Every structure is written in C-alpha cells, then in structure tokens.
Amino acid sequence: MQTLVIVAHPEYEDSSTQAFLNRAQADLDTVTWHRLTDNNEPLAVASEQQRLLQADRIIFQFPMYWYSAPALLKQWEDDVLTRAFTFASERGKLVDKQLGIVTSLGYPEQEFQAGGTEGFSISEVLTPYRALAHHAGMQFLKPLVINQFAYLTDAEQAQLLIEYQQYLTASQPLHFQQRVKWMIKQLQKWQVSQPQAQQQRIQLIIDQLQEQQEHLDDLKEQIKLIRQAEEG
Amino acid sequence: MQTLVIVAHPEYEDSSTQAFLNRAQADLDTVTWHRLTDNNEPLAVASEQQRLLQADRIIFQFPMYWYSAPALLKQWEDDVLTRAFTFASERGKLVDKQLGIVTSLGYPEQEFQAGGTEGFSISEVLTPYRALAHHAGMQFLKPLVINQFAYLTDAEQAQLLIEYQQYLTASQPLHFQQRVKWMIKQLQKWQVSQPQAQQQRIQLIIDQLQEQQEHLDDLKEQIKLIRQAEEG
C-alpha cells in the first residue's frame, strides 16, 4: 500500500509539529511526503493528479486555520480535483482510495464540542472533507488530531510518533490485534539493522508480544466456546 | 445598518450569478460591494479590517467549491482575521456583528442531505463558518443558497432579487410581518423617483399591503383573545 502525504503549512519552516512528523515518516518506504508551497505559480495539475493515482491512501496534513485547511490546500483542491478526475459519478479516478486527515490544533481538543469554546466537534468542522470523500467514492479515515503539540511530554510525543506511523501505513480502522501485528512487523524491520546484542533484545520483545497475542487469541477462543455452549 | 458584501469568485467576470447579484444591490445605499481579487499581492490587512469595523452585517458571497469557499476567501480569512482582531475571548472587534453567507450551488440543493448524492446538508458543510461566527461572537444568519442560477425562470430570478435585497438590508431573522414592512419601505423609496401616474399606482399597492397587514394583525389579536379565554 502506497501513501501520499500532502503537507500544507504556510509557515512550514517554523513548524516544530511538521518537523516532528517529517522525521517520523522518514524511514517508511511506502510513504511519499509531498509539501505544497505557495510560489504564486499555477499548480502543475497533471503531475499532481499523477501523484494521486499512484497512492492508495491520501493524507491531507495541515494546521487547522479557521476550522479548515490553510488556503494553500484549498487552492490545490480547487485546481487539482477537477470534475472528470474526481467525481465518482463520472468514473472519477479516486474511487476506493482512502482519504485521511492529520490536523494540528492550537486550542484544546476538548473545547471542540457543543458548549465548549469552539462550539462544534472536529467531526462537524471537517464535514467538507467528509463530503469530498463521499463525492469521490473514497473511504474517509478517522482523522488523526494533534492536540497542541508544543505542550506534549516526551512520552506523549513517542506515543504520537507510533500513532502517526500507524496512520500512514497500517490497515484502517486499526483494531487492537492489527496494532500488535503492525508493531511486531516494525520491530522485525528495525532488528535487521541493529548490532547483535540489540537484535537479541528486540527478539525478546517480539517474542513477548507474540506470546501475549497468542494468549489473547486463546482467551477469545474460550469465550467463543462458552457462548456457543450457552446458545446451544 | 451597514452591510459589507465580500465577493470571492475566481472567475468573476464570467459569472452570470455574480453579475445578477451585483445589479440587485446597486441601488442599495447601505450596502458596500467588496470584490476580492487574486493578484498575487499580499492582502492589505489593516484596510480590510477597517472595512469590517464599519459594517454591522458582513456577507461572505461565493460559489461553493468542494463544500466551502474558493481559496481566495480562505486566504482572506487566514490573513485578515487575526487573533487579536477576531477572537471574542480577547476583546475581538467583530462581537455582535452579523455574519451571512450567500452561496451558489452547481448541483441541486435537494441532494445536500443524508442519502443524497452530496450526502451532507448545507448546514453541515457550512460548519466552519458557523464555528467562526461562534468564536468571534457574531450572530450567524441563515444562509441564502442560490440553487443552480442558470436554470432559474424569470419569475424565480425576480424572487431571488427580492430575497437577496432583503438578506442584505432587512432585519434578520425575517418574519412575515417584517418582510411586508420591508417591502412597503422599498416601494415608498422607489415611489419618490417615479412619474405622477406611476406614483399613484405604487401608492395603491402600498395601501393594499398595509390593509392586509392590519387585517392580519386583527386576526392575530382575535386568536390571542380566544386563547386567553380558553386558558382562563
């Protein structure tokens, strides 16, 4: 699965969030990082569309400005997502691809609700993107919301790194079991490039995760048998 | 009451809708028509903000592109609506002003609903503007939606002209009684500039409207008395 991350940040160079996310995806070989820039030149529509064609998952990544993406991404939408290319009803080319949103908030996520200072939920304010996915016949993924990056602790940043990598590369929606499998796969990839002693330590973690997973699978099987007995 | 209409249409010169709306407001002396243009120059933020300060009602007028305004208006929002100027929580300058939306659709309005080809309602897709109004302490007016202008009959166009003029100048929300009052006021203004014979005809219409209004008021009063009698 190929993922295209379309990054729209008018002050990209000054954004610690974007720098962090860029580092987080640097080693993922199925991910293409595509930064939009505002150079006052018309967009190269054909090559932008070509990029989209090659991706299975398309991510709009932006800081939230006035409850949507910066104008930079809107201009891209207005120019690149032409009718013939996009409308599912007219054999559009995006049908069955996935659309994800990675957005960073300057204000606390818990204020995005009725009665909060923002008044509307993230789901509600992102409706135009949900409608776009709907019109293009795309699967809309649950957005990854980055809540005030500057205030995250080191542990929260580590957590975000994993969540972000999963958002770009793991199958979605991501259930617990798939999350573990994804984690094992990443560890196995990483293991190869490490020195011998480190490889063994990583192997221990992998074994531990696998054992836990098998234990969980056992428990699930037992619950299933109990239920069948009850019903029978 | 002063109204500022902020017009954002990337192909303004070719838009018959915008030409029609421009003619419809030309005689209204409390309305300022402010067209945004994309000349690749930075926006003059201070003078844009000055315009907003002078208005009681601010209208965003645009064709709907991908479920929101064209990038032209988003850039204006991103640049002009600075934190100190806009946030109600920080003594923003837009508190108690009104925000209205005039948007034209290329697709039938009745498709904007769950199960329709658009999947989401106009109210839902306009959430970012409702959230903006909320954050700025502004009153959000019920949007004026122009449904496929090219297909309107002459009678529908005449109806739209009145609705548009009312949207810009009448008190909102517009109840039936206020609608009649607004109509009488417009007729009286118009009357003055007409030849004698025409003036008399207009007076007849005004008298008729006033008489109907009084009759309606009478009926309402009677209903009120009946209800009071029932309750007593």
Side-chain angles (χ1 to χ4, degrees):
Chain A
M1 190 197 71
Q2 294 295 318
T3 298
L4 174 66
V5 185
I6 298 173
V7 184
H9 196 308
E11 294 168 36
Y12 180 86
E13 306 292 355
D14 300 327
S15 166
S16 55
T17 316
Q18 296 304 325
F20 177 87
L21 297 177
N22 182 272
R23 282 195 305 275
Q25 63 79 47
D27 291 337
L28 305 173
D29 50 17
T30 58
V31 174
T32 305
W33 180 271
H34 177 44
R35 185 186 150 201
L36 303 182
T37 50
D38 184 12
N39 55 10
N40 284 336
E41 280 167 30
L43 273 156
V45 173
S47 74
E48 292 294 325
Q49 290 182 345
Q50 197 55 40
R51 265 185 247 269
L52 295 172
L53 291 179
Q54 285 160 5
D56 307 292
R57 178 174 298 171
I58 294 154
I59 308 285
F60 289 172
Q61 181 171 306
F62 55 84
M64 199 177 277
Y65 286 6
W66 288 123
Y67 310 102
S68 65
L72 190 56
L73 183 59
K74 189 67 199 341
Q75 191 67 61
W76 179 93
E77 286 182 66
D78 292 353
D79 290 352
V80 176
L81 301 179
T82 57
R83 184 179 174 126
F85 184 77
T86 315
F87 283 24
S89 55
E90 301 186 12
R91 297 164 174 263
K93 304 293 189 295
L94 302 176
V95 173
D96 291 338
K97 295 183 188 288
Q98 298 180 323
L99 178 64
I101 305 275
V102 175
T103 186
S104 53
L105 305 180
Y107 306 96
E109 191 177 354
Q110 62 266 31
E111 295 299 335
F112 283 79
Q113 56 174 301
T117 55
E118 305 300 338
F120 296 87
S121 70
I122 299 288
S123 256
E124 287 173 308
V125 302
L126 294 179
T127 306
Y129 304 103
R130 294 157 63 200
L132 164 58
H134 175 82
H135 205 104
M138 301 173 82
Q139 183 197 349
F140 187 74
L141 305 182
K142 188 174 80 171
L144 177 63
V145 176
I146 302 173
N147 188 5
Q148 298 187 290
F149 180 79
Y151 300 140
L152 297 187
T153 63
D154 286 353
E156 285 167 340
Q157 286 197 6
Q159 173 78 16
L160 171 61
L161 186 139
I162 300 291
E163 282 177 12
Y164 181 64
Q165 290 189 340
Q166 288 176 338
Y167 196 73
L168 301 190
T169 61
S171 70
Q172 300 282 347
L174 192 57
H175 300 296
F176 179 78
Q177 195 175 346
Q178 287 158 332
R179 204 183 298 261
V180 174
K181 275 191 195 152
W182 181 90
M183 194 74 84
I184 291 171
K185 216 169 126 193
Q186 300 305 310
L187 286 169
Q188 283 167 337
K189 264 197 217 165
W190 184 42
Q191 196 180 20
V192 187
S193 62
Q194 298 300 309
Q196 191 67 22
Q198 187 72 356
Q199 282 197 13
Q200 284 173 0
R201 272 192 221 106
I202 295 169
Q203 192 55 46
L204 284 174
I205 301 173
I206 292 174
D207 291 348
Q208 180 69 29
L209 281 168
Q210 263 164 345
E211 204 176 306
Q212 280 186 340
Q213 188 56 50
E214 281 160 21
H215 188 54
L216 275 168
D217 289 345
D218 272 359
L219 288 172
K220 275 192 199 160
E221 196 54 37
Q222 285 181 32
I223 290 169
K224 206 169 142 191
L225 289 171
I226 294 170
R227 285 212 178 121
Q228 280 172 351
E230 278 174 349
E231 282 166 7
Chain B
M1 191 197 69
Q2 292 296 318
T3 299
L4 174 66
V5 185
I6 299 173
V7 184
H9 197 308
E11 293 167 36
Y12 180 87
E13 306 294 353
D14 299 327
S15 166
S16 55
T17 316
Q18 296 304 324
F20 176 87
L21 298 177
N22 182 272
R23 282 194 305 275
Q25 62 80 48
D27 292 336
L28 305 173
D29 49 16
T30 58
V31 174
T32 304
W33 180 271
H34 176 44
R35 184 187 150 200
L36 303 182
T37 50
D38 185 12
N39 53 9
N40 284 336
E41 280 168 29
L43 273 156
V45 173
S47 73
E48 293 294 325
Q49 289 182 346
Q50 198 55 40
R51 266 185 246 267
L52 295 172
L53 291 179
Q54 285 159 7
D56 306 293
R57 179 173 297 173
I58 295 155
I59 309 285
F60 289 172
Q61 182 171 304
F62 55 84
M64 199 177 278
Y65 286 7
W66 288 121
Y67 311 102
S68 64
L72 191 56
L73 182 60
K74 189 67 200 339
Q75 191 68 61
W76 179 93
E77 285 182 67
D78 292 352
D79 291 351
V80 176
L81 300 179
T82 58
R83 184 180 174 124
F85 183 77
T86 314
F87 283 24
S89 55
E90 302 186 13
R91 298 165 173 263
K93 305 293 190 294
L94 302 176
V95 173
D96 291 338
K97 294 182 187 291
Q98 298 180 324
L99 178 63
I101 305 275
V102 175
T103 187
S104 53
L105 305 181
Y107 306 96
E109 190 175 355
Q110 62 268 30
E111 295 300 334
F112 283 80
Q113 56 174 302
T117 56
E118 304 300 339
F120 296 87
S121 69
I122 299 288
S123 256
E124 287 173 309
V125 302
L126 294 179
T127 306
Y129 304 102
R130 294 157 64 199
L132 163 58
H134 175 81
H135 205 105
M138 300 173 81
Q139 184 197 348
F140 187 76
L141 305 182
K142 188 173 79 171
L144 177 63
V145 175
I146 302 173
N147 189 6
Q148 299 187 287
F149 181 79
Y151 300 138
L152 297 186
T153 62
D154 286 354
E156 286 166 339
Q157 286 198 6
Q159 173 78 15
L160 172 62
L161 186 139
I162 300 291
E163 281 177 13
Y164 181 64
Q165 290 188 339
Q166 287 176 338
Y167 197 72
L168 301 190
T169 61
S171 70
Q172 300 282 348
L174 192 58
H175 301 297
F176 179 78
Q177 194 174 346
Q178 287 158 332
R179 204 183 297 262
V180 174
K181 275 191 194 152
W182 182 89
M183 193 74 82
I184 291 172
K185 217 169 125 193
Q186 299 306 310
L187 286 169
Q188 283 167 338
K189 266 198 216 167
W190 183 42
Q191 194 180 21
V192 188
S193 61
Q194 299 301 310
Q196 190 68 20
Q198 186 73 355
Q199 281 197 14
Q200 283 172 359
R201 272 192 221 107
I202 295 170
Q203 191 56 46
L204 283 175
I205 300 172
I206 292 174
D207 291 348
Q208 179 69 27
L209 281 169
Q210 262 163 347
E211 203 176 306
Q212 280 186 338
Q213 188 56 49
E214 280 159 22
H215 187 54
L216 275 168
D217 290 345
D218 271 358
L219 287 171
K220 275 191 200 161
E221 195 55 36
Q222 285 180 33
I223 289 169
K224 205 169 143 191
L225 288 171
I226 293 169
R227 286 214 177 120
Q228 279 170 351
E230 278 174 349
E231 283 165 8

